[in-house]
């Protein structure tokens, strides 16, 4: 079938990969991929709220903040919820690496767990200390969702966070 399409003048590389030979990926394509993930997150949270809403108030999860991280673990998409959650000025966490706001000991634990799992599509849960705007540490329960970036060998991460009163450390 591919031979017949090629004979008819179809761009086989584009059909197979979504890119023409020699085509560079652009920042706008990355933005589109991130936008899709943000829509997925918003839809997921909406569905969770809808289904949980059927139960008693005490069963509702407390998701207080979220952000999307790129393959280098830098914050690339945020709703400012994580900045409010950690008491940072608006816009100050854009492009910041997770290692800069996660306690060094907890970051090591996170990296070990991530390397051990080698996930391409997984959800991991952690209890960690996150740095706040005033430099103190906040105990946080958080989950990390790992997704493979379309047509690449890179991962993207979504994190959701909530405060915990448990003295875990």
């Amino acid at each position: 079938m591919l031979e017949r399409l090629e004979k008819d003048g179809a761009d086989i590389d584009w059909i197979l990969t979504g890119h023409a030979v020699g085509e560079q990926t652009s920042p706008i394509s990355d933005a589109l991929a991130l936008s899709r993930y943000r829509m997925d997150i918003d839809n997921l949270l909406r569905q969770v709220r809808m289904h949980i809403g059927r139960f008693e108030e005490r069963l509702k999860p407390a998701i207080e903040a979220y952000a999307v991280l790129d393959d280098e673990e830098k914050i690339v998409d945020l709703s400012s919820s994580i900045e409010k959650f950690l008491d940072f000025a608006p816009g100050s966490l854009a492009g910041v690496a997770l290692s800069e706001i996660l306690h060094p000991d907890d970051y090591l634990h996170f990296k070990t767990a991530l390397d051990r799992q080698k996930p391409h599509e997984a959800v991991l849960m952690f209890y960690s200390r996150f740095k706040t705007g005033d430099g103190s540490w906040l105990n946080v329960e958080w989950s990390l969702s790992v997704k493979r970036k379309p047509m690449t060998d890179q991962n993207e991460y979504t994190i959701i966070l909530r405060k915990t009163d448990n003295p875990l450390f």
Side-chain angles (χ1 to χ4, degrees):
M1 172 120 174
L2 289 176
E3 291 171 358
R4 194 169 68 198
L5 287 170
E6 188 172 28
K7 184 179 173 188
D8 290 341
D11 186 346
I12 301 303
D13 290 320
W14 185 85
I15 291 170
L16 293 174
T17 66
H19 298 286
V21 173
E23 181 180 72
Q24 298 287 328
T25 57
S26 68
I28 196 164
S29 66
D30 291 341
L32 181 61
L34 287 174
S35 175
R36 192 186 96 215
Y37 285 113
R38 183 167 184 185
M39 286 175 46
D40 289 347
I41 293 166
D42 289 342
N43 287 334
L44 178 63
L45 291 175
R46 191 176 306 114
Q47 289 175 11
V48 167
R49 282 198 241 20
M50 181 182 75
H51 290 297
I52 298 283
R54 295 179 186 157
F55 301 100
E56 294 179 28
E57 184 71 26
R58 64 185 163 91
L59 298 178
K60 288 188 179 182
I63 298 171
E64 298 180 48
Y66 81 92
V68 177
L69 305 146
D70 65 11
D71 195 56
E72 297 174 353
E73 299 169 8
K74 291 184 179 176
I75 299 174
V76 292
D77 189 22
L78 63 154
S79 64
S80 78
S81 64
I82 193 168
E83 291 167 335
K84 290 178 188 173
F85 178 76
L86 296 174
D87 200 26
F88 278 88
S92 62
L93 291 181
V96 170
L98 182 61
S99 61
E100 294 179 43
I101 58 172
L102 195 58
H103 191 280
D105 295 338
D106 300 335
Y107 182 75
L108 182 60
H109 171 71
F110 154 74
K111 286 302 281 185
T112 302
L114 191 63
D115 291 342
R116 186 178 37 228
Q117 292 287 342
K118 295 283 184 199
H120 296 298
E121 302 267 336
V123 175
L124 305 171
M125 186 177 160
F126 301 94
Y127 291 93
S128 304
R129 294 162 286 189
F130 278 77
K131 186 182 286 186
T132 64
D134 66 6
S136 63
W137 297 100
L138 178 67
N139 291 341
V140 175
E141 175 184 358
W142 62 291
S143 292
L144 172 94
S145 171
V146 181
K147 274 200 155 184
R148 178 68 70 183
K149 190 174 176 181
M151 296 183 277
T152 71
D153 61 348
Q154 297 181 335
N155 290 326
E156 288 183 321
Y157 308 98
T158 303
I159 58 173
I160 57 173
L161 308 96
R162 70 178 178 177
K163 293 177 188 171
T164 181
D165 294 329
N166 296 339
L168 306 166
F169 313 103

